[in-house]
Amino acid sequence: MPALLDGLVDDAAVFPPGSATLPDALVAHRRHRAAWYAGLVGPLLVPASTVAAGELSGLVDPAEGLVIGVIGDTGIGNLPFALSFLAPDGVTARQVEVAVARRGEDPLPGIADLLRVADSLPDVEAVYAELPLTFGLMGALDALAAARADGVPVAAKFRTGGLAAELFPTPAELAAVICACRDRDLPFKLTAGLHQAVRHLDPETGFTHHGYANVLAATLAAAEGDGVGPVAELLTVADPRPLLERTTGRQDAHRPLWVGFGSCSILEPLTDLIRLGLVNGGYDA
């Protein structure tokens, strides 16, 4: 697996639209982690409510050293309680992700709450503040960047899709966010809507989805100093060739800025990567 794609896809099997049961998701995740494409796969993402209900107990051998990401569906203040259930089962939460505001709300109070909690999250390497792409966004990025400069392992997370058209940022909006994170040296994650490698229209919903290969090319362009216009242009293209040109000669370098995205399927993005020639390999799954 090229270093450029290392850990690109977090395993969100238990979340819609896949909505796998936790036992099935664990079986599949272990299979992914043992496969030739294991380098592509990030942690299994599990809701905090599931963790706090003790649903991992009995499903995990403490000796296996399971690493997960916890999605804070129970709110910021309840994160320490949820994480307290992990150690007895030998599970480690590598990352925590939680929304700090709804659309139209000021995100700064939620960020302040998250920063107060961050010190009480044992063994967590990264804390992602999910930010709405609306009111107060740039101030929120400034606050995260300042906290990160002080040694707090915080980063940003943005939604790139959902069940309504307004949840899909335009290429210009997403490009502005990518460049804003670049300017602040602030890593970011994305979630929702990134089902395929290249930008496309979903015939079932009528929504145009961003492609993760578009985001990869756009992030590489931003990291090399391109402005919002050229970055947005890469996010609009439906032809994979200009996207692949951006990755030429970069496969052995680690991916800048963009930590990755969650997907309820691991094999779907893997298939597109193979088709595009970004990954060489065949299935053993």
Side-chain angles (χ1 to χ4, degrees), residues 115-128:
L115 294 178
R116 281 192 289 270
V117 168
D119 289 337
S120 59
L121 303 178
D123 302 320
V124 172
E125 297 177 7
V127 178
Y128 294 97

Side-chain angles (χ1 to χ4, degrees), residues 129 131 133 137-138 140-142 144-145 148 155-158 174-190 219 222-223 256-258:
L131 302 170
L133 300 183
L137 176 59
M138 294 304 162
L141 296 181
D142 287 339
L144 292 179
R148 190 173 180 84
K157 178 182 175 182
F158 308 104
L174 186 53
V177 166
I178 291 173
C179 290
C181 288
R182 182 268 320 274
D183 293 343
R184 293 163 175 78
D185 196 23
L186 183 66
F188 66 92
K189 275 197 69 179
L190 300 177
T219 304
L257 291 172
W258 184 30

Side-chain angles (χ1 to χ4, degrees), residues 143-161:
L144 292 179
R148 190 173 180 84
D150 287 339
V152 183
V154 291
K157 178 182 175 182
F158 308 104
R159 194 160 290 274
T160 50

